[in-house]
PDB file of all heavy atoms in Angstrom:
ATOM      1  N   SER E 122     -14.930  99.026  55.951  1.00 92.00           N
ATOM      2  CA  SER E 122     -13.655  98.238  55.624  1.00 92.00           C
ATOM      3  C   SER E 122     -12.898  98.018  56.972  1.00 92.00           C
ATOM      4  O   SER E 122     -12.400  96.860  57.070  1.00 92.00           O
ATOM      5  CB  SER E 122     -12.896  98.992  54.509  1.00 92.00           C
ATOM      6  OG  SER E 122     -13.697  99.130  53.519  1.00 92.00           O
ATOM      7  N   THR E 123     -12.657  98.858  57.718  1.00 91.00           N
ATOM      8  CA  THR E 123     -11.857  98.856  58.890  1.00 91.00           C
ATOM      9  C   THR E 123     -12.525  97.764  59.938  1.00 91.00           C
ATOM     10  O   THR E 123     -11.877  97.013  60.572  1.00 91.00           O
ATOM     11  CB  THR E 123     -11.655 100.213  59.560  1.00 91.00           C
ATOM     12  OG1 THR E 123     -11.032 101.043  58.718  1.00 91.00           O
ATOM     13  CG2 THR E 123     -10.714  99.993  60.816  1.00 91.00           C
ATOM     14  N   ALA E 124     -13.835  97.899  59.935  1.00 91.00           N
ATOM     15  CA  ALA E 124     -14.607  96.967  60.741  1.00 91.00           C
ATOM     16  C   ALA E 124     -14.604  95.614  60.298  1.00 91.00           C
ATOM     17  O   ALA E 124     -14.411  94.654  61.197  1.00 91.00           O
ATOM     18  CB  ALA E 124     -16.134  97.375  60.883  1.00 91.00           C
ATOM     19  N   LEU E 125     -14.483  95.352  59.053  1.00 90.00           N
ATOM     20  CA  LEU E 125     -14.352  94.051  58.536  1.00 90.00           C
ATOM     21  C   LEU E 125     -12.933  93.559  58.826  1.00 90.00           C
ATOM     22  O   LEU E 125     -12.771  92.328  59.122  1.00 90.00           O
ATOM     23  CB  LEU E 125     -14.659  94.033  57.037  1.00 90.00           C
ATOM     24  CG  LEU E 125     -15.978  93.823  56.619  1.00 90.00           C
ATOM     25  CD1 LEU E 125     -16.163  94.054  55.180  1.00 90.00           C
ATOM     26  CD2 LEU E 125     -16.573  92.471  56.935  1.00 90.00           C
ATOM     27  N   MET E 126     -11.896  94.375  58.656  1.00 89.00           N
ATOM     28  CA  MET E 126     -10.576  93.968  58.916  1.00 89.00           C
ATOM     29  C   MET E 126     -10.444  93.574  60.528  1.00 89.00           C
ATOM     30  O   MET E 126      -9.803  92.686  60.886  1.00 89.00           O
ATOM     31  CB  MET E 126      -9.599  95.057  58.761  1.00 89.00           C
ATOM     32  CG  MET E 126      -9.309  95.297  57.214  1.00 89.00           C
ATOM     33  SD  MET E 126      -8.021  96.387  56.784  1.00 89.00           S
ATOM     34  CE  MET E 126      -8.877  97.801  56.917  1.00 89.00           C
ATOM     35  N   CYS E 127     -11.174  94.343  61.331  1.00 86.00           N
ATOM     36  CA  CYS E 127     -10.971  94.015  62.768  1.00 86.00           C
ATOM     37  C   CYS E 127     -11.652  92.803  63.065  1.00 86.00           C
ATOM     38  O   CYS E 127     -11.368  92.003  64.054  1.00 86.00           O
ATOM     39  CB  CYS E 127     -11.540  95.283  63.512  1.00 86.00           C
ATOM     40  SG  CYS E 127     -10.643  96.671  63.751  1.00 86.00           S
ATOM     41  N   SER E 128     -12.840  92.551  62.309  1.00 84.00           N
ATOM     42  CA  SER E 128     -13.651  91.319  62.598  1.00 84.00           C
ATOM     43  C   SER E 128     -12.935  90.107  62.112  1.00 84.00           C
ATOM     44  O   SER E 128     -13.174  88.999  62.780  1.00 84.00           O
ATOM     45  CB  SER E 128     -14.964  91.499  61.972  1.00 84.00           C
ATOM     46  OG  SER E 128     -15.808  90.509  62.278  1.00 84.00           O
ATOM     47  N   THR E 129     -12.223  90.134  61.106  1.00 83.00           N
ATOM     48  CA  THR E 129     -11.563  88.921  60.595  1.00 83.00           C
ATOM     49  C   THR E 129     -10.151  88.629  61.109  1.00 83.00           C
ATOM     50  O   THR E 129      -9.514  87.685  60.645  1.00 83.00           O
ATOM     51  CB  THR E 129     -11.573  88.971  59.028  1.00 83.00           C
ATOM     52  OG1 THR E 129     -10.868  90.202  58.611  1.00 83.00           O
ATOM     53  CG2 THR E 129     -12.992  89.174  58.558  1.00 83.00           C
ATOM     54  N   VAL E 130      -9.645  89.577  61.865  1.00 82.00           N
ATOM     55  CA  VAL E 130      -8.229  89.461  62.377  1.00 82.00           C
ATOM     56  C   VAL E 130      -8.179  88.239  63.307  1.00 82.00           C
ATOM     57  O   VAL E 130      -9.035  87.876  64.069  1.00 82.00           O
ATOM     58  CB  VAL E 130      -7.722  90.778  63.069  1.00 82.00           C
ATOM     59  CG1 VAL E 130      -8.452  90.932  64.388  1.00 82.00           C
ATOM     60  CG2 VAL E 130      -6.247  90.672  63.187  1.00 82.00           C
ATOM     61  N   THR E 131      -6.811  87.612  63.227  1.00 73.00           N
ATOM     62  CA  THR E 131      -6.652  86.490  64.088  1.00 73.00           C
ATOM     63  C   THR E 131      -5.451  86.831  65.008  1.00 73.00           C
ATOM     64  O   THR E 131      -4.458  87.311  64.496  1.00 73.00           O
ATOM     65  CB  THR E 131      -6.282  85.198  63.433  1.00 73.00           C
ATOM     66  OG1 THR E 131      -7.317  84.909  62.479  1.00 73.00           O
ATOM     67  CG2 THR E 131      -6.001  84.095  64.345  1.00 73.00           C
ATOM     68  N   ILE E 132      -5.706  86.848  66.318  1.00 72.00           N
ATOM     69  CA  ILE E 132      -4.676  87.386  67.210  1.00 72.00           C
ATOM     70  C   ILE E 132      -4.128  86.071  67.932  1.00 72.00           C
ATOM     71  O   ILE E 132      -4.930  85.342  68.446  1.00 72.00           O
ATOM     72  CB  ILE E 132      -5.226  88.330  68.326  1.00 72.00           C
ATOM     73  CG1 ILE E 132      -5.769  89.549  67.575  1.00 72.00           C
ATOM     74  CG2 ILE E 132      -4.225  88.669  69.273  1.00 72.00           C
ATOM     75  CD1 ILE E 132      -6.466  90.624  68.415  1.00 72.00           C
ATOM     76  N   SER E 133      -2.754  85.915  68.058  1.00 67.00           N
ATOM     77  CA  SER E 133      -2.213  84.667  68.567  1.00 67.00           C
ATOM     78  C   SER E 133      -2.390  84.586  69.992  1.00 67.00           C
ATOM     79  O   SER E 133      -2.527  83.423  70.498  1.00 67.00           O
ATOM     80  CB  SER E 133      -0.704  84.637  68.184  1.00 67.00           C
ATOM     81  OG  SER E 133      -0.079  85.805  68.860  1.00 67.00           O
ATOM     82  N   ARG E 134      -2.552  85.718  70.726  1.00 72.00           N
ATOM     83  CA  ARG E 134      -2.723  85.689  72.268  1.00 72.00           C
ATOM     84  C   ARG E 134      -4.101  85.547  72.660  1.00 72.00           C
ATOM     85  O   ARG E 134      -4.478  85.408  73.841  1.00 72.00           O
ATOM     86  CB  ARG E 134      -1.885  86.797  72.855  1.00 72.00           C
ATOM     87  CG  ARG E 134      -0.546  86.708  72.588  1.00 72.00           C
ATOM     88  CD  ARG E 134       0.281  87.720  73.326  1.00 72.00           C
ATOM     89  NE  ARG E 134       1.640  87.698  73.118  1.00 72.00           N
ATOM     90  CZ  ARG E 134       2.543  88.640  73.242  1.00 72.00           C
ATOM     91  NH1 ARG E 134       2.047  89.766  73.593  1.00 72.00           N
ATOM     92  NH2 ARG E 134       3.733  88.436  72.848  1.00 72.00           N
ATOM     93  N   GLY E 135      -5.096  85.723  71.754  1.00 66.00           N
ATOM     94  CA  GLY E 135      -6.507  85.634  72.093  1.00 66.00           C
ATOM     95  C   GLY E 135      -7.060  86.953  72.763  1.00 66.00           C
ATOM     96  O   GLY E 135      -8.152  86.919  73.303  1.00 66.00           O
ATOM     97  N   GLY E 136      -6.453  88.046  72.486  1.00 76.00           N
ATOM     98  CA  GLY E 136      -7.015  89.350  73.139  1.00 76.00           C
ATOM     99  C   GLY E 136      -7.970  89.902  72.070  1.00 76.00           C
ATOM    100  O   GLY E 136      -7.788  90.969  71.601  1.00 76.00           O
ATOM    101  N   TYR E 137      -9.145  89.401  71.903  1.00 83.00           N
ATOM    102  CA  TYR E 137     -10.116  89.690  70.829  1.00 83.00           C
ATOM    103  C   TYR E 137     -11.000  90.949  71.403  1.00 83.00           C
ATOM    104  O   TYR E 137     -11.834  91.465  70.621  1.00 83.00           O
ATOM    105  CB  TYR E 137     -10.941  88.617  70.453  1.00 83.00           C
ATOM    106  CG  TYR E 137     -10.212  87.721  69.470  1.00 83.00           C
ATOM    107  CD1 TYR E 137      -9.865  86.420  69.947  1.00 83.00           C
ATOM    108  CD2 TYR E 137      -9.910  87.979  68.232  1.00 83.00           C
ATOM    109  CE1 TYR E 137      -9.240  85.559  69.081  1.00 83.00           C
ATOM    110  CE2 TYR E 137      -9.341  87.159  67.320  1.00 83.00           C
ATOM    111  CZ  TYR E 137      -8.913  85.913  67.856  1.00 83.00           C
ATOM    112  OH  TYR E 137      -8.296  85.027  67.079  1.00 83.00           O
ATOM    113  N   ARG E 138     -11.030  91.289  72.721  1.00 85.00           N
ATOM    114  CA  ARG E 138     -11.954  92.164  73.219  1.00 85.00           C
ATOM    115  C   ARG E 138     -11.885  93.530  72.421  1.00 85.00           C
ATOM    116  O   ARG E 138     -12.915  94.059  72.064  1.00 85.00           O
ATOM    117  CB  ARG E 138     -11.779  92.265  74.835  1.00 85.00           C
ATOM    118  CG  ARG E 138     -12.667  93.170  75.414  1.00 85.00           C
ATOM    119  CD  ARG E 138     -12.553  93.193  76.995  1.00 85.00           C
ATOM    120  NE  ARG E 138     -12.992  91.847  77.295  1.00 85.00           N
ATOM    121  CZ  ARG E 138     -12.999  91.491  78.614  1.00 85.00           C
ATOM    122  NH1 ARG E 138     -12.919  92.392  79.505  1.00 85.00           N
ATOM    123  NH2 ARG E 138     -13.439  90.213  78.798  1.00 85.00           N
ATOM    124  N   GLY E 139     -10.728  94.154  72.468  1.00 86.00           N
ATOM    125  CA  GLY E 139     -10.720  95.360  71.750  1.00 86.00           C
ATOM    126  C   GLY E 139     -10.932  95.387  70.342  1.00 86.00           C
ATOM    127  O   GLY E 139     -11.544  96.366  69.747  1.00 86.00           O
ATOM    128  N   VAL E 140     -10.504  94.313  69.693  1.00 88.00           N
ATOM    129  CA  VAL E 140     -10.781  94.206  68.223  1.00 88.00           C
ATOM    130  C   VAL E 140     -12.208  93.980  67.976  1.00 88.00           C
ATOM    131  O   VAL E 140     -12.717  94.623  67.041  1.00 88.00           O
ATOM    132  CB  VAL E 140      -9.960  92.944  67.753  1.00 88.00           C
ATOM    133  CG1 VAL E 140     -10.221  92.824  66.242  1.00 88.00           C
ATOM    134  CG2 VAL E 140      -8.469  93.137  67.861  1.00 88.00           C
ATOM    135  N   LEU E 141     -12.863  93.207  68.719  1.00 89.00           N
ATOM    136  CA  LEU E 141     -14.410  92.977  68.515  1.00 89.00           C
ATOM    137  C   LEU E 141     -15.076  94.327  68.886  1.00 89.00           C
ATOM    138  O   LEU E 141     -16.185  94.613  68.111  1.00 89.00           O
ATOM    139  CB  LEU E 141     -14.883  91.853  69.326  1.00 89.00           C
ATOM    140  CG  LEU E 141     -14.507  90.435  68.993  1.00 89.00           C
ATOM    141  CD1 LEU E 141     -15.180  89.425  69.832  1.00 89.00           C
ATOM    142  CD2 LEU E 141     -15.188  90.225  67.497  1.00 89.00           C
ATOM    143  N   LEU E 142     -14.753  94.998  69.846  1.00 90.00           N
ATOM    144  CA  LEU E 142     -15.556  96.309  70.229  1.00 90.00           C
ATOM    145  C   LEU E 142     -15.212  97.355  69.182  1.00 90.00           C
ATOM    146  O   LEU E 142     -16.148  98.111  68.748  1.00 90.00           O
ATOM    147  CB  LEU E 142     -15.026  96.749  71.629  1.00 90.00           C
ATOM    148  CG  LEU E 142     -15.463  95.957  72.725  1.00 90.00           C
ATOM    149  CD1 LEU E 142     -14.925  96.477  74.056  1.00 90.00           C
ATOM    150  CD2 LEU E 142     -17.067  95.915  72.780  1.00 90.00           C
ATOM    151  N   ALA E 143     -13.960  97.352  68.597  1.00 91.00           N
ATOM    152  CA  ALA E 143     -13.673  98.357  67.415  1.00 91.00           C
ATOM    153  C   ALA E 143     -14.569  98.002  66.227  1.00 91.00           C
ATOM    154  O   ALA E 143     -15.098  98.795  65.608  1.00 91.00           O
ATOM    155  CB  ALA E 143     -12.162  98.314  67.142  1.00 91.00           C
ATOM    156  N   ALA E 144     -14.661  96.642  65.982  1.00 91.00           N
ATOM    157  CA  ALA E 144     -15.396  96.151  64.838  1.00 91.00           C
ATOM    158  C   ALA E 144     -16.911  96.591  64.918  1.00 91.00           C
ATOM    159  O   ALA E 144     -17.422  97.149  63.904  1.00 91.00           O
ATOM    160  CB  ALA E 144     -15.359  94.685  64.542  1.00 91.00           C
ATOM    161  N   ILE E 145     -17.448  96.372  66.140  1.00 93.00           N
ATOM    162  CA  ILE E 145     -18.889  96.719  66.311  1.00 93.00           C
ATOM    163  C   ILE E 145     -19.113  98.153  66.282  1.00 93.00           C
ATOM    164  O   ILE E 145     -20.009  98.691  65.769  1.00 93.00           O
ATOM    165  CB  ILE E 145     -19.343  96.070  67.805  1.00 93.00           C
ATOM    166  CG1 ILE E 145     -19.547  94.600  67.534  1.00 93.00           C
ATOM    167  CG2 ILE E 145     -20.649  96.762  68.149  1.00 93.00           C
ATOM    168  CD1 ILE E 145     -20.729  94.249  66.621  1.00 93.00           C
ATOM    169  N   GLY E 146     -18.225  98.882  66.962  1.00 94.00           N
ATOM    170  CA  GLY E 146     -18.359 100.418  66.908  1.00 94.00           C
ATOM    171  C   GLY E 146     -18.196 101.046  65.617  1.00 94.00           C
ATOM    172  O   GLY E 146     -19.109 101.886  65.136  1.00 94.00           O
ATOM    173  N   LEU E 147     -17.154 100.681  64.769  1.00 94.00           N
ATOM    174  CA  LEU E 147     -17.076 101.156  63.556  1.00 94.00           C
ATOM    175  C   LEU E 147     -18.287 100.649  62.581  1.00 94.00           C
ATOM    176  O   LEU E 147     -18.698 101.454  61.687  1.00 94.00           O
ATOM    177  CB  LEU E 147     -15.782 100.567  62.820  1.00 94.00           C
ATOM    178  CG  LEU E 147     -14.607 101.360  63.318  1.00 94.00           C
ATOM    179  CD1 LEU E 147     -13.205 100.715  63.005  1.00 94.00           C
ATOM    180  CD2 LEU E 147     -14.531 102.778  62.981  1.00 94.00           C
ATOM    181  N   MET E 148     -18.703  99.443  62.744  1.00 94.00           N
ATOM    182  CA  MET E 148     -19.913  98.989  61.966  1.00 94.00           C
ATOM    183  C   MET E 148     -21.112  99.903  62.329  1.00 94.00           C
ATOM    184  O   MET E 148     -21.860 100.195  61.374  1.00 94.00           O
ATOM    185  CB  MET E 148     -20.196  97.483  62.221  1.00 94.00           C
ATOM    186  CG  MET E 148     -21.371  97.012  61.531  1.00 94.00           C
ATOM    187  SD  MET E 148     -22.140  95.570  62.253  1.00 94.00           S
ATOM    188  CE  MET E 148     -22.917  96.349  63.770  1.00 94.00           C
ATOM    189  N   LEU E 149     -21.330 100.095  63.518  1.00 95.00           N
ATOM    190  CA  LEU E 149     -22.560 100.912  63.954  1.00 95.00           C
ATOM    191  C   LEU E 149     -22.409 102.376  63.336  1.00 95.00           C
ATOM    192  O   LEU E 149     -23.327 102.930  62.837  1.00 95.00           O
ATOM    193  CB  LEU E 149     -22.595 100.980  65.383  1.00 95.00           C
ATOM    194  CG  LEU E 149     -23.171  99.768  66.148  1.00 95.00           C
ATOM    195  CD1 LEU E 149     -23.039  99.875  67.607  1.00 95.00           C
ATOM    196  CD2 LEU E 149     -24.528  99.303  65.642  1.00 95.00           C
ATOM    197  N   LEU E 150     -21.091 102.873  63.277  1.00 94.00           N
ATOM    198  CA  LEU E 150     -20.983 104.228  62.710  1.00 94.00           C
ATOM    199  C   LEU E 150     -21.318 104.195  61.174  1.00 94.00           C
ATOM    200  O   LEU E 150     -21.999 105.116  60.773  1.00 94.00           O
ATOM    201  CB  LEU E 150     -19.440 104.705  62.986  1.00 94.00           C
ATOM    202  CG  LEU E 150     -19.016 106.008  62.247  1.00 94.00           C
ATOM    203  CD1 LEU E 150     -19.838 107.259  62.908  1.00 94.00           C
ATOM    204  CD2 LEU E 150     -17.522 106.163  62.425  1.00 94.00           C
ATOM    205  N   ALA E 151     -20.634 103.261  60.509  1.00 94.00           N
ATOM    206  CA  ALA E 151     -20.923 103.084  59.097  1.00 94.00           C
ATOM    207  C   ALA E 151     -22.408 102.931  58.797  1.00 94.00           C
ATOM    208  O   ALA E 151     -23.027 103.433  57.867  1.00 94.00           O
ATOM    209  CB  ALA E 151     -20.118 101.971  58.428  1.00 94.00           C
ATOM    210  N   ASP E 152     -23.163 101.967  59.608  1.00 94.00           N
ATOM    211  CA  ASP E 152     -24.489 101.808  59.288  1.00 94.00           C
ATOM    212  C   ASP E 152     -25.447 103.021  59.622  1.00 94.00           C
ATOM    213  O   ASP E 152     -26.411 103.204  58.893  1.00 94.00           O
ATOM    214  CB  ASP E 152     -25.025 100.524  60.173  1.00 94.00           C
ATOM    215  CG  ASP E 152     -24.562  99.256  59.801  1.00 94.00           C
ATOM    216  OD1 ASP E 152     -24.055  99.185  58.553  1.00 94.00           O
ATOM    217  OD2 ASP E 152     -24.711  98.278  60.339  1.00 94.00           O
TER     218      ASP E 152
END
């Protein structure tokens, strides 16, 4: 659920690097 939230978030300044890495990391943990 947290990975999905990180993956679908929209950041106004475009700093998606941390958010995408968190989403992938949490997804790999859940999988």
Side-chain angles (χ1 to χ4, degrees):
S122 298
T123 307
L125 276 172
M126 285 187 277
C127 288
S128 183
T129 58
V130 71
T131 301
I132 299 174
S133 61
R134 295 186 182 157
Y137 287 105
R138 183 172 292 193
V140 176
L141 284 178
L142 290 175
I145 287 293
L147 288 168
M148 180 207 67
L149 290 174
L150 175 67
D152 285 348

